[in-house]
Amino acid sequence: MTTPPPSGSDDVLPAVANLDTIVSLSKRRGFVFPSSEIYGGINAVWDYGPLGVELKNNVKRAWWRAMVQDRTDIVGLDAGILMHPQVWVTSGHVGSFSDPLVECGTCRRRYRLDELPGAEELTATDLLDATVVERFGLSCPNDGGPLSAPRRFNLMFQTHMGPVQDEGSIVYFRPETAQGSYVNFKNVQQSSRKKVPFGIAQIGKSFRNEISPGNFVFRMREFEQMEMQYFVRPGDPAAAAFEEWLPRRRAWYEAYGVTPARLRTREHRPDELAHYAKKAVDVEYRFPFGWKELEGVHNRGDFDLSRHAEASGENLEYFDPATEEHFVPWIVETAAGADRAAFTFLIDAYREEEVRGEKRVVLGLHPELAPYKVAVLPLLKKRPEIVELCHRLRTDLARDVMAVYDDSAAIGKLYRRQDEIGTPWCVTVDVDSLEDGAVTVRDRDSMTQERISIAGVKRAILDRMEAARP
Ligand code: ATP
Protein backbone atom coordinates (compact mmCIF):
# COMPACT_ATOMS: atom_id res chain seq x y z
CA MET A 1 0.00 0.00 0.00
CA THR A 2 1.35 3.44 -0.86
CA THR A 3 1.18 6.16 1.76
CA PRO A 4 -0.90 9.16 0.74
CA PRO A 5 0.92 12.49 0.31
CA PRO A 6 0.84 14.72 3.40
CA SER A 7 -2.32 16.79 3.81
CA GLY A 8 -2.13 20.14 2.09
CA SER A 9 1.05 19.28 0.16
CA ASP A 10 1.56 19.98 -3.52
CA ASP A 11 1.35 16.24 -4.18
CA VAL A 12 -2.25 15.96 -3.01
CA LEU A 13 -4.32 14.97 -6.03
CA PRO A 14 -7.50 16.84 -6.97
CA ALA A 15 -10.86 15.04 -6.70
CA VAL A 16 -11.15 15.14 -10.49
CA ALA A 17 -8.14 15.24 -12.79
CA ASN A 18 -9.82 17.28 -15.49
CA LEU A 19 -12.11 20.24 -14.93
CA ASP A 20 -14.01 19.35 -18.14
CA THR A 21 -15.55 16.40 -16.31
CA ILE A 22 -17.32 18.83 -13.98
CA VAL A 23 -18.10 21.40 -16.68
CA SER A 24 -19.77 18.80 -18.89
CA LEU A 25 -21.67 17.17 -16.01
CA SER A 26 -22.88 20.64 -14.98
CA LYS A 27 -24.17 21.43 -18.46
CA ARG A 28 -25.67 18.00 -19.13
CA ARG A 29 -27.52 17.70 -15.84
CA GLY A 30 -28.49 21.36 -15.40
CA PHE A 31 -26.18 22.69 -12.72
CA VAL A 32 -24.50 25.52 -14.64
CA PHE A 33 -24.90 26.93 -18.16
CA PRO A 34 -22.84 29.58 -19.97
CA SER A 35 -24.71 32.90 -19.81
CA SER A 36 -26.49 34.05 -23.00
CA GLU A 37 -25.30 30.92 -24.74
CA ILE A 38 -27.53 31.29 -27.82
CA TYR A 39 -25.68 34.55 -28.53
CA GLY A 40 -22.29 32.92 -28.16
CA GLY A 41 -22.01 33.49 -24.40
CA ILE A 42 -20.54 36.33 -22.39
CA ASN A 43 -17.18 35.84 -20.79
CA ALA A 44 -17.08 35.00 -17.09
CA VAL A 45 -20.82 35.03 -16.42
CA TRP A 46 -22.57 31.73 -15.73
CA ASP A 47 -26.20 30.81 -15.15
CA TYR A 48 -27.33 28.28 -12.57
CA GLY A 49 -29.75 25.67 -13.89
CA PRO A 50 -32.49 23.81 -11.99
CA LEU A 51 -30.02 21.70 -9.99
CA GLY A 52 -27.38 24.40 -9.61
CA VAL A 53 -29.77 26.88 -8.06
CA GLU A 54 -30.77 24.25 -5.48
CA LEU A 55 -27.14 23.45 -4.68
CA LYS A 56 -26.14 27.10 -4.36
CA ASN A 57 -29.20 27.95 -2.26
CA ASN A 58 -28.34 25.02 0.02
CA VAL A 59 -24.74 26.25 0.36
CA LYS A 60 -25.97 29.73 1.27
CA ARG A 61 -28.48 28.27 3.73
CA ALA A 62 -25.77 26.14 5.39
CA TRP A 63 -23.53 29.18 5.72
CA TRP A 64 -26.35 31.30 7.12
CA ARG A 65 -27.21 28.60 9.61
CA ALA A 66 -23.61 28.37 10.85
CA MET A 67 -23.00 32.12 10.85
CA VAL A 68 -26.34 33.61 11.91
CA GLN A 69 -28.98 31.10 13.00
CA ASP A 70 -26.75 29.08 15.33
CA ARG A 71 -25.20 32.14 16.97
CA THR A 72 -26.40 34.76 19.37
CA ASP A 73 -23.64 37.24 18.46
CA ILE A 74 -24.14 37.59 14.69
CA VAL A 75 -27.03 39.20 12.82
CA GLY A 76 -27.84 39.43 9.13
CA LEU A 77 -27.99 42.31 6.67
CA ASP A 78 -28.89 42.73 3.00
CA ALA A 79 -27.44 46.03 1.79
CA GLY A 80 -27.87 47.42 -1.72
CA ILE A 81 -25.52 46.59 -4.56
CA LEU A 82 -25.39 50.28 -5.46
CA MET A 83 -24.04 52.55 -2.73
CA HIS A 84 -23.07 56.19 -2.35
CA PRO A 85 -20.00 56.57 -4.61
CA GLN A 86 -18.05 58.15 -1.76
CA VAL A 87 -18.09 54.75 0.02
CA TRP A 88 -15.69 53.40 -2.62
CA VAL A 89 -13.44 56.45 -2.48
CA THR A 90 -13.17 56.15 1.31
CA SER A 91 -12.62 52.39 1.22
CA GLY A 92 -9.72 52.85 -1.20
CA HIS A 93 -11.39 50.94 -4.05
CA VAL A 94 -11.56 53.90 -6.45
CA GLY A 95 -7.87 54.61 -5.89
CA SER A 96 -6.38 51.17 -5.67
CA PHE A 97 -8.74 48.24 -6.28
CA SER A 98 -6.76 47.21 -9.29
CA ASP A 99 -4.72 44.38 -10.72
CA PRO A 100 -1.50 44.65 -12.77
CA LEU A 101 -2.42 44.16 -16.43
CA VAL A 102 0.05 43.19 -19.16
CA GLU A 103 -0.70 42.83 -22.85
CA CYS A 104 0.94 40.68 -25.52
CA GLY A 105 2.39 42.76 -28.38
CA THR A 106 1.51 40.16 -31.01
CA CYS A 107 -1.73 38.33 -30.09
CA ARG A 108 -3.03 41.24 -27.95
CA ARG A 109 -4.18 38.93 -25.17
CA ARG A 110 -4.28 40.47 -21.74
CA TYR A 111 -3.14 38.86 -18.52
CA ARG A 112 -3.00 39.50 -14.83
CA LEU A 113 0.74 39.78 -14.25
CA ASP A 114 0.71 37.88 -10.97
CA GLU A 115 -1.02 34.91 -12.59
CA LEU A 116 1.51 34.37 -15.39
CA PRO A 117 3.65 31.23 -15.26
CA GLY A 118 6.95 32.26 -13.67
CA ALA A 119 5.37 35.15 -11.71
CA GLU A 120 4.54 33.17 -8.57
CA GLU A 121 7.22 34.78 -6.42
CA LEU A 122 6.74 38.39 -7.52
CA THR A 123 6.47 40.88 -4.65
CA ALA A 124 4.00 43.76 -4.49
CA THR A 125 6.82 46.11 -5.54
CA ASP A 126 7.68 43.92 -8.53
CA LEU A 127 4.06 44.01 -9.68
CA LEU A 128 4.28 47.78 -10.13
CA ASP A 129 7.78 47.84 -11.58
CA ALA A 130 8.01 48.87 -15.26
CA THR A 131 11.01 46.57 -15.80
CA VAL A 132 9.47 43.46 -14.22
CA VAL A 133 8.72 41.69 -17.52
CA GLU A 134 12.37 41.94 -18.64
CA ARG A 135 13.84 41.16 -15.24
CA PHE A 136 11.89 37.94 -14.91
CA GLY A 137 12.01 37.03 -18.61
CA LEU A 138 8.20 36.80 -18.85
CA SER A 139 6.47 36.24 -22.17
CA CYS A 140 2.98 35.56 -23.50
CA PRO A 141 1.80 32.05 -22.50
CA ASN A 142 -0.24 31.87 -25.72
CA ASP A 143 2.31 32.67 -28.44
CA GLY A 144 5.51 33.60 -26.59
CA GLY A 145 5.14 37.23 -27.76
CA PRO A 146 6.59 40.24 -25.90
CA LEU A 147 4.59 41.60 -22.97
CA SER A 148 3.98 45.26 -22.16
CA ALA A 149 5.01 46.86 -18.86
CA PRO A 150 2.26 46.40 -16.25
CA ARG A 151 -0.42 49.02 -15.77
CA ARG A 152 -2.99 49.19 -13.00
CA PHE A 153 -6.49 48.22 -14.10
CA ASN A 154 -9.38 49.11 -11.79
CA LEU A 155 -11.74 46.18 -11.31
CA MET A 156 -14.92 48.08 -10.45
CA PHE A 157 -17.80 48.19 -12.91
CA GLN A 158 -19.41 51.61 -13.21
CA THR A 159 -22.76 52.85 -14.32
CA HIS A 160 -24.68 56.12 -14.10
CA MET A 161 -27.52 56.85 -11.76
CA GLY A 162 -30.35 59.06 -13.00
CA PRO A 163 -30.99 60.53 -16.44
CA VAL A 164 -27.75 62.51 -16.83
CA GLN A 165 -24.65 60.57 -17.75
CA ASP A 166 -21.74 62.64 -16.53
CA GLU A 167 -18.91 62.40 -14.00
CA GLY A 168 -21.25 63.42 -11.21
CA SER A 169 -23.68 60.56 -11.79
CA ILE A 170 -21.16 57.69 -11.64
CA VAL A 171 -22.04 54.86 -9.26
CA TYR A 172 -20.26 51.54 -8.85
CA PHE A 173 -21.45 47.95 -8.76
CA ARG A 174 -20.12 46.81 -5.40
CA PRO A 175 -16.99 44.61 -5.66
CA GLU A 176 -17.59 43.23 -2.14
CA THR A 177 -20.48 43.12 0.32
CA ALA A 178 -18.34 44.18 3.29
CA GLN A 179 -18.73 47.94 2.84
CA GLY A 180 -22.51 47.63 3.31
CA SER A 181 -21.84 46.17 6.76
CA TYR A 182 -19.36 48.91 7.70
CA VAL A 183 -21.60 51.83 6.76
CA ASN A 184 -24.51 50.16 8.60
CA PHE A 185 -22.46 49.43 11.72
CA LYS A 186 -24.34 51.98 13.83
CA ASN A 187 -27.79 51.14 12.44
CA VAL A 188 -27.32 47.45 13.13
CA GLN A 189 -25.64 47.85 16.51
CA GLN A 190 -28.24 50.22 17.85
CA SER A 191 -31.33 48.48 16.46
CA SER A 192 -30.20 45.00 17.56
CA ARG A 193 -28.61 46.28 20.79
CA LYS A 194 -25.65 43.96 20.25
CA LYS A 195 -22.59 44.38 22.41
CA VAL A 196 -19.06 44.11 21.05
CA PRO A 197 -17.95 41.49 20.08
CA PHE A 198 -20.70 40.95 17.53
CA GLY A 199 -20.90 40.31 13.82
CA ILE A 200 -22.84 41.31 10.71
CA ALA A 201 -23.31 38.65 8.03
CA GLN A 202 -24.28 39.23 4.42
CA ILE A 203 -24.83 37.16 1.32
CA GLY A 204 -25.12 38.92 -1.99
CA LYS A 205 -23.93 39.65 -5.50
CA SER A 206 -20.60 41.35 -6.13
CA PHE A 207 -19.05 42.40 -9.41
CA ARG A 208 -15.43 42.59 -10.53
CA ASN A 209 -14.17 43.31 -13.99
CA GLU A 210 -11.54 40.58 -13.66
CA ILE A 211 -8.67 40.69 -16.17
CA SER A 212 -8.29 36.96 -16.46
CA PRO A 213 -11.48 35.27 -15.37
CA GLY A 214 -11.79 31.57 -15.93
CA ASN A 215 -11.69 28.07 -14.63
CA PHE A 216 -15.46 27.83 -14.92
CA VAL A 217 -17.23 29.45 -11.94
CA PHE A 218 -13.98 29.86 -9.98
CA ARG A 219 -13.41 33.41 -11.18
CA MET A 220 -16.39 35.26 -12.58
CA ARG A 221 -17.25 38.88 -13.22
CA GLU A 222 -20.60 38.57 -11.44
CA PHE A 223 -20.62 36.34 -8.39
CA GLU A 224 -22.02 35.94 -4.91
CA GLN A 225 -20.18 36.46 -1.66
CA MET A 226 -20.88 35.26 1.87
CA GLU A 227 -19.08 37.68 4.16
CA MET A 228 -19.14 38.25 7.88
CA GLN A 229 -17.66 41.25 9.69
CA TYR A 230 -16.93 40.66 13.36
CA PHE A 231 -16.55 43.83 15.45
CA VAL A 232 -14.12 43.35 18.31
CA ARG A 233 -12.20 45.30 20.94
CA PRO A 234 -8.91 46.62 19.51
CA GLY A 235 -5.63 44.74 19.79
CA ASP A 236 -5.39 41.37 21.49
CA PRO A 237 -9.13 40.55 21.50
CA ALA A 238 -9.16 41.06 17.71
CA ALA A 239 -6.10 38.84 17.31
CA ALA A 240 -7.77 36.18 19.46
CA ALA A 241 -11.01 36.39 17.44
CA PHE A 242 -8.99 35.90 14.28
CA GLU A 243 -7.42 32.71 15.65
CA GLU A 244 -10.91 31.39 16.48
CA TRP A 245 -12.52 32.23 13.16
CA LEU A 246 -9.85 30.72 10.93
CA PRO A 247 -10.18 27.08 12.12
CA ARG A 248 -13.94 27.48 12.46
CA ARG A 249 -14.28 28.48 8.83
CA ARG A 250 -12.04 25.69 7.62
CA ALA A 251 -14.02 23.20 9.72
CA TRP A 252 -17.25 24.37 8.03
CA TYR A 253 -16.06 23.05 4.65
CA GLU A 254 -15.02 19.76 6.24
CA ALA A 255 -18.36 19.41 8.05
CA TYR A 256 -20.09 19.59 4.66
CA GLY A 257 -17.90 16.92 3.16
CA VAL A 258 -14.77 18.51 1.71
CA THR A 259 -11.84 16.09 2.03
CA PRO A 260 -9.57 17.51 4.78
CA ALA A 261 -6.35 16.68 2.88
CA ARG A 262 -7.52 18.94 0.05
CA LEU A 263 -7.75 21.96 2.35
CA ARG A 264 -4.91 24.02 3.72
CA THR A 265 -4.32 27.52 5.06
CA ARG A 266 -1.84 30.01 3.66
CA GLU A 267 -0.82 33.19 5.42
CA HIS A 268 -0.23 36.27 3.29
CA ARG A 269 3.37 37.45 3.21
CA PRO A 270 3.92 40.97 4.60
CA ASP A 271 4.31 42.37 1.08
CA GLU A 272 1.06 40.71 -0.03
CA LEU A 273 -1.02 42.18 2.80
CA ALA A 274 -3.48 44.93 1.90
CA HIS A 275 -2.20 48.21 3.37
CA TYR A 276 -4.78 48.15 6.18
CA ALA A 277 -4.58 44.44 7.06
CA LYS A 278 -2.93 43.27 10.25
CA LYS A 279 -3.10 39.64 9.23
CA ALA A 280 -4.68 37.65 6.40
CA VAL A 281 -4.89 33.91 5.93
CA ASP A 282 -6.54 32.13 3.01
CA VAL A 283 -8.28 28.81 3.29
CA GLU A 284 -7.17 27.09 0.10
CA TYR A 285 -8.55 24.08 -1.77
CA ARG A 286 -6.79 21.72 -4.15
CA PHE A 287 -8.70 22.50 -7.34
CA PRO A 288 -7.95 20.55 -10.55
CA PHE A 289 -5.94 23.67 -11.58
CA GLY A 290 -3.89 23.92 -8.37
CA TRP A 291 -4.16 25.19 -4.79
CA LYS A 292 -6.35 28.30 -4.83
CA GLU A 293 -8.15 30.57 -2.39
CA LEU A 294 -11.53 29.41 -1.20
CA GLU A 295 -12.04 31.96 1.53
CA GLY A 296 -10.06 34.72 3.22
CA VAL A 297 -9.96 35.51 6.93
CA HIS A 298 -8.66 39.00 7.64
CA ASN A 299 -7.83 41.11 10.67
CA ARG A 300 -8.58 44.57 9.26
CA GLY A 301 -7.78 46.59 12.38
CA ASP A 302 -9.76 49.83 12.79
CA PHE A 303 -9.15 50.90 9.19
CA ASP A 304 -12.73 50.60 7.92
CA LEU A 305 -14.68 52.29 10.69
CA SER A 306 -12.04 54.99 11.25
CA ARG A 307 -11.93 55.88 7.56
CA HIS A 308 -15.71 55.97 7.19
CA ALA A 309 -16.03 58.03 10.38
CA GLU A 310 -13.50 60.53 9.12
CA ALA A 311 -14.97 60.80 5.62
CA SER A 312 -18.64 60.91 6.63
CA GLY A 313 -18.26 62.99 9.77
CA GLU A 314 -20.32 60.39 11.64
CA ASN A 315 -18.99 59.14 14.98
CA LEU A 316 -18.60 55.38 14.55
CA GLU A 317 -17.17 54.72 17.99
CA TYR A 318 -18.70 52.10 20.20
CA PHE A 319 -19.47 52.86 23.83
CA ASP A 320 -18.82 49.95 26.16
CA PRO A 321 -21.24 50.35 29.09
CA ALA A 322 -19.30 47.87 31.24
CA THR A 323 -15.99 49.74 31.12
CA GLU A 324 -17.41 53.15 30.15
CA GLU A 325 -14.90 53.35 27.30
CA HIS A 326 -15.37 54.72 23.81
CA PHE A 327 -13.42 52.99 21.05
CA VAL A 328 -13.43 52.23 17.35
CA PRO A 329 -13.90 48.46 17.02
CA TRP A 330 -11.47 46.41 15.00
CA ILE A 331 -12.86 44.07 12.37
CA VAL A 332 -12.16 40.41 11.76
CA GLU A 333 -13.65 39.43 8.43
CA THR A 334 -14.46 36.03 6.97
CA ALA A 335 -14.89 36.45 3.19
CA ALA A 336 -16.14 33.48 1.20
CA GLY A 337 -17.68 33.03 -2.24
CA ALA A 338 -21.00 31.20 -2.64
CA ASP A 339 -20.14 30.12 -6.18
CA ARG A 340 -16.63 29.05 -5.26
CA ALA A 341 -17.91 27.09 -2.27
CA ALA A 342 -20.65 25.37 -4.32
CA PHE A 343 -18.05 24.57 -7.00
CA THR A 344 -15.74 23.09 -4.37
CA PHE A 345 -18.45 20.90 -2.87
CA LEU A 346 -19.37 19.74 -6.38
CA ILE A 347 -15.80 18.84 -7.36
CA ASP A 348 -14.96 17.18 -4.07
CA ALA A 349 -18.14 15.09 -4.13
CA TYR A 350 -17.46 13.65 -7.58
CA ARG A 351 -16.41 10.02 -7.82
CA GLU A 352 -16.42 7.25 -10.38
CA GLU A 353 -16.79 3.68 -9.19
CA GLU A 354 -17.12 0.29 -10.74
CA VAL A 355 -20.24 -1.60 -9.74
CA ARG A 356 -20.76 -5.10 -11.16
CA GLY A 357 -18.56 -4.32 -14.15
CA GLU A 358 -20.25 -0.98 -14.89
CA LYS A 359 -19.08 2.57 -14.28
CA ARG A 360 -21.12 4.44 -11.68
CA VAL A 361 -20.77 8.22 -11.34
CA VAL A 362 -21.75 9.49 -7.91
CA LEU A 363 -21.92 12.94 -6.43
CA GLY A 364 -21.41 12.17 -2.76
CA LEU A 365 -22.85 15.54 -1.73
CA HIS A 366 -23.76 16.10 1.90
CA PRO A 367 -27.56 15.52 2.16
CA GLU A 368 -28.09 19.13 3.20
CA LEU A 369 -26.36 20.35 0.03
CA ALA A 370 -27.83 17.83 -2.42
CA PRO A 371 -30.28 19.49 -4.87
CA TYR A 372 -32.92 16.79 -4.32
CA LYS A 373 -33.10 14.92 -1.03
CA VAL A 374 -35.27 12.15 -2.38
CA ALA A 375 -36.48 10.73 -5.70
CA VAL A 376 -39.72 8.76 -5.90
CA LEU A 377 -39.58 6.14 -8.62
CA PRO A 378 -42.16 3.64 -9.94
CA LEU A 379 -40.95 0.15 -10.71
CA LEU A 380 -43.74 -0.25 -13.25
CA LYS A 381 -45.01 2.96 -14.80
CA LYS A 382 -47.73 1.09 -16.67
CA ARG A 383 -49.61 0.45 -13.44
CA PRO A 384 -51.67 3.60 -12.68
CA GLU A 385 -52.05 2.65 -8.99
CA ILE A 386 -48.25 2.59 -8.62
CA VAL A 387 -47.82 5.94 -10.39
CA GLU A 388 -50.60 7.47 -8.32
CA LEU A 389 -49.03 6.25 -5.07
CA CYS A 390 -45.67 7.72 -6.21
CA HIS A 391 -47.25 11.14 -6.77
CA ARG A 392 -48.98 11.03 -3.39
CA LEU A 393 -45.70 10.17 -1.70
CA ARG A 394 -43.77 12.87 -3.56
CA THR A 395 -46.34 15.52 -2.71
CA ASP A 396 -46.19 14.58 0.95
CA LEU A 397 -42.36 14.54 1.02
CA ALA A 398 -42.19 17.84 -0.87
CA ARG A 399 -43.91 19.63 2.01
CA ASP A 400 -40.59 19.28 3.86
CA VAL A 401 -37.83 18.56 1.35
CA MET A 402 -37.04 18.82 -2.35
CA ALA A 403 -38.48 15.62 -3.80
CA VAL A 404 -38.66 14.61 -7.46
CA TYR A 405 -40.60 12.01 -9.45
CA ASP A 406 -39.06 10.28 -12.46
CA ASP A 407 -40.41 7.45 -14.62
CA SER A 408 -38.51 8.06 -17.83
CA ALA A 409 -36.34 4.92 -17.76
CA ALA A 410 -35.94 1.49 -16.20
CA ILE A 411 -35.17 1.45 -12.49
CA GLY A 412 -31.41 0.74 -12.81
CA LYS A 413 -30.99 3.76 -15.06
CA LEU A 414 -33.15 5.94 -12.79
CA TYR A 415 -30.89 5.07 -9.83
CA ARG A 416 -27.76 5.95 -11.85
CA ARG A 417 -29.24 9.31 -12.82
CA GLN A 418 -30.01 10.17 -9.23
CA ASP A 419 -26.52 9.03 -8.15
CA GLU A 420 -24.99 11.34 -10.71
CA ILE A 421 -26.80 14.39 -9.31
CA GLY A 422 -26.21 13.45 -5.69
CA THR A 423 -29.73 12.49 -4.53
CA PRO A 424 -29.09 10.72 -1.20
CA TRP A 425 -32.22 8.54 -1.20
CA CYS A 426 -34.51 6.92 -3.75
CA VAL A 427 -37.93 5.60 -2.81
CA THR A 428 -39.20 2.88 -5.12
CA VAL A 429 -42.84 1.86 -5.33
CA ASP A 430 -43.48 -1.64 -6.68
CA VAL A 431 -46.39 -4.07 -7.07
CA ASP A 432 -45.92 -5.35 -3.52
CA SER A 433 -46.31 -1.82 -2.19
CA LEU A 434 -49.97 -1.95 -3.19
CA GLU A 435 -50.41 -5.02 -1.00
CA ASP A 436 -48.07 -4.53 1.96
CA GLY A 437 -48.13 -0.72 2.20
CA ALA A 438 -44.31 -0.55 2.15
CA VAL A 439 -41.70 0.87 -0.24
CA THR A 440 -37.99 0.36 -0.84
CA VAL A 441 -35.62 3.11 0.29
CA ARG A 442 -32.24 2.95 -1.41
CA ASP A 443 -29.19 4.72 -0.06
CA ARG A 444 -26.96 6.51 -2.61
CA ASP A 445 -23.61 5.76 -0.99
CA SER A 446 -24.00 2.21 0.29
CA MET A 447 -26.61 1.24 -2.34
CA THR A 448 -28.34 -0.79 0.39
CA GLN A 449 -32.10 -1.10 0.22
CA GLU A 450 -34.51 -1.13 3.09
CA ARG A 451 -38.23 -1.85 3.16
CA ILE A 452 -40.10 0.87 5.04
CA SER A 453 -43.85 1.35 5.56
CA ILE A 454 -45.34 4.13 3.44
CA ALA A 455 -46.56 5.87 6.58
CA GLY A 456 -43.02 5.92 7.98
CA VAL A 457 -41.07 6.99 4.87
CA LYS A 458 -41.12 10.70 5.47
CA ARG A 459 -40.05 10.32 9.11
CA ALA A 460 -37.21 8.01 8.02
CA ILE A 461 -35.91 10.55 5.47
CA LEU A 462 -36.19 13.45 7.93
CA ASP A 463 -34.39 11.41 10.62
CA ARG A 464 -31.56 10.64 8.22
CA MET A 465 -31.31 14.33 7.28
CA GLU A 466 -31.17 15.24 10.95
CA ALA A 467 -28.52 12.59 11.68
CA ALA A 468 -26.32 13.96 8.86
CA ARG A 469 -26.55 17.58 10.06
CA PRO A 470 -23.18 18.94 11.27
P1 ATP B 1 -8.25 36.89 -5.73
O1 ATP B 1 -6.94 37.23 -5.12
O2 ATP B 1 -8.41 35.44 -6.12
O3 ATP B 1 -8.70 37.84 -6.81
P2 ATP B 1 -9.42 38.14 -3.48
O4 ATP B 1 -8.37 37.86 -2.47
O5 ATP B 1 -9.51 39.46 -4.13
O6 ATP B 1 -9.37 37.02 -4.60
P3 ATP B 1 -11.55 38.53 -1.69
O7 ATP B 1 -11.67 39.94 -2.04
O8 ATP B 1 -10.95 38.16 -0.38
O9 ATP B 1 -10.81 37.75 -2.85
O10 ATP B 1 -12.98 37.85 -1.87
C1 ATP B 1 -13.50 36.94 -0.94
C2 ATP B 1 -14.01 35.70 -1.63
O11 ATP B 1 -14.94 36.03 -2.66
C3 ATP B 1 -12.94 34.87 -2.32
O12 ATP B 1 -12.29 34.02 -1.40
C4 ATP B 1 -13.77 34.08 -3.31
O13 ATP B 1 -14.37 32.95 -2.69
C5 ATP B 1 -14.84 35.07 -3.70
N1 ATP B 1 -14.48 35.72 -4.96
C6 ATP B 1 -13.68 36.80 -5.10
N2 ATP B 1 -13.58 37.12 -6.40
C7 ATP B 1 -14.33 36.22 -7.08
C8 ATP B 1 -14.63 36.03 -8.46
N3 ATP B 1 -14.14 36.85 -9.41
N4 ATP B 1 -15.43 35.00 -8.81
C9 ATP B 1 -15.94 34.17 -7.87
N5 ATP B 1 -15.70 34.31 -6.55
C10 ATP B 1 -14.90 35.32 -6.16
Side-chain angles (χ1 to χ4, degrees):
M1 213 177 91
T2 50
T3 34
S7 249
S9 77
D10 285 339
D11 299 329
V12 170
L13 292 177
V16 291
N18 191 340
L19 185 57
D20 290 343
T21 310
I22 298 296
V23 177
S24 74
L25 173 88
S26 296
K27 171 94 195 281
R28 189 162 35 83
R29 300 311 310 274
F31 281 93
V32 178
F33 308 125
S35 163
S36 326
E37 195 179 10
I38 59 168
Y39 286 98
I42 173 171
N43 199 2
V45 186
W46 296 88
D47 296 343
Y48 285 81
L51 298 183
V53 65
E54 297 298 336
L55 172 64
K56 193 158 87 149
N57 280 343
N58 292 339
V59 168
K60 291 189 281 184
R61 222 172 272 138
W63 185 88
W64 197 262
R65 184 197 311 266
M67 303 299 279
V68 181
Q69 190 176 333
D70 284 350
R71 303 190 60 100
T72 54
D73 57 347
I74 303 180
V75 288
L77 178 74
D78 183 11
I81 286 169
L82 302 176
M83 300 180 75
H84 193 295
Q86 187 60 39
V87 168
W88 305 107
V89 176
T90 307
S91 67
H93 284 83
V94 170
S96 62
F97 187 57
S98 53
D99 279 335
L101 170 83
V102 290
E103 188 175 328
C104 173
T106 49
C107 73
R108 297 276 153 215
R109 286 194 192 197
R110 294 180 176 136
Y111 302 96
R112 221 173 104 170
L113 175 59
D114 55 329
E115 288 190 342
L116 284 175
E120 296 80 11
E121 298 303 317
L122 296 191
T123 64
T125 324
D126 290 331
L127 295 177
L128 293 171
D129 178 5
T131 66
V132 64
V133 168
E134 274 167 64
R135 281 200 295 121
F136 286 83
L138 302 171
S139 58
C140 174
N142 179 45
D143 65 357
L147 294 173
S148 67
R151 71 180 168 86
R152 304 302 301 184
F153 174 79
N154 195 294
L155 302 184
M156 281 200 295
F157 281 99
Q158 307 182 355
T159 188
H160 294 271
M161 191 173 253
V164 183
Q165 303 215 341
D166 62 12
E167 276 291 303
S169 66
I170 290 178
V171 289
Y172 302 96
F173 283 50
R174 69 177 175 201
E176 60 176 35
T177 63
Q179 298 301 323
S181 298
Y182 305 149
V183 301
N184 276 298
F185 167 70
K186 264 229 146 114
N187 284 336
V188 173
Q189 193 271 321
Q190 289 176 351
S191 59
S192 63
R193 301 208 308 278
K194 289 283 168 212
K195 294 199 172 71
V196 164
F198 79 95
I200 302 180
Q202 271 204 88
I203 297 178
K205 284 268 166 117
S206 293
F207 301 81
R208 296 182 189 181
N209 197 1
E210 300 276 4
I211 297 170
S212 47
N215 289 325
F216 196 38
V217 297
F218 177 81
R219 192 178 297 286
M220 301 191 283
R221 292 196 168 116
E222 174 180 342
F223 56 99
E224 251 180 307
Q225 290 189 305
M226 311 188 289
E227 297 194 298
M228 191 279 295
Q229 315 299 319
Y230 203 63
F231 300 88
V232 205
R233 288 183 77 86
D236 291 347
F242 181 97
E243 299 308 328
E244 279 176 25
W245 276 108
L246 180 62
R248 194 178 282 145
R249 288 305 307 148
R250 180 184 171 147
W252 182 79
Y253 293 97
E254 292 179 9
Y256 282 98
V258 175
T259 309
R262 292 199 197 99
L263 288 170
R264 72 179 185 193
T265 49
R266 188 186 72 84
E267 180 159 2
H268 286 211
R269 300 184 310 261
D271 70 276
E272 262 182 293
L273 279 179
H275 53 285
Y276 51 80
K278 305 273 181 222
K279 186 170 178 180
V281 177
D282 291 342
V283 178
E284 293 189 333
Y285 176 71
R286 175 61 166 103
F287 287 96
F289 40 89
W291 285 96
K292 298 279 177 201
E293 173 179 339
L294 191 51
E295 167 158 357
V297 181
H298 313 127
N299 180 347
R300 305 175 60 108
D302 71 353
F303 176 83
D304 306 286
L305 291 184
S306 296
R307 287 279 296 235
H308 281 304
E310 197 185 325
S312 66
E314 189 78 27
N315 180 0
L316 296 179
E317 282 180 334
Y318 170 78
F319 174 68
D320 187 337
T323 60
E324 303 205 326
E325 282 170 286
H326 290 269
F327 59 85
V328 176
W330 283 23
I331 292 168
V332 172
E333 170 188 56
T334 68
D339 311 272
R340 219 175 262 187
F343 182 39
T344 300
F345 290 122
L346 192 64
I347 297 173
D348 210 73
Y350 184 91
R351 54 176 203 265
E352 290 175 7
E353 300 170 350
E354 198 165 303
V355 178
R356 289 186 287 279
E358 269 187 52
K359 183 172 118 175
R360 172 172 105 118
V361 172
V362 192
L363 279 187
L365 286 169
H366 188 284
E368 235 175 277
L369 302 184
Y372 299 130
K373 312 308 175 200
V374 53
V376 184
L377 314 169
L379 199 66
L380 281 177
K381 70 168 172 181
K382 289 201 191 86
R383 291 283 297 267
E385 318 91 281
I386 293 183
V387 171
E388 197 231 339
L389 180 52
C390 281
H391 285 302
R392 271 213 323 269
L393 256 173
R394 194 216 68 90
T395 307
D396 184 42
L397 286 161
R399 290 169 67 90
D400 292 280
V401 292
M402 280 299 291
V404 66
Y405 169 80
D406 190 6
D407 67 5
S408 60
I411 194 69
K413 195 154 188 193
L414 293 180
Y415 284 153
R416 294 288 178 274
R417 279 191 199 153
Q418 295 300 326
D419 290 343
E420 199 189 32
I421 60 171
T423 309
W425 301 288
C426 290
V427 172
T428 308
V429 178
D430 54 26
V431 181
D432 290 345
S433 307
L434 303 173
E435 302 298 323
D436 66 3
V439 290
T440 301
V441 177
R442 173 197 181 260
D443 182 272
R444 175 195 69 199
D445 298 325
S446 64
M447 289 186 285
T448 50
Q449 307 196 357
E450 202 183 326
R451 204 72 187 161
I452 297 184
S453 76
I454 292 170
V457 165
K458 181 146 113 178
R459 192 64 264 156
I461 299 287
L462 293 178
D463 285 348
R464 289 176 191 198
M465 290 284 299
E466 184 59 35
R469 182 164 285 174

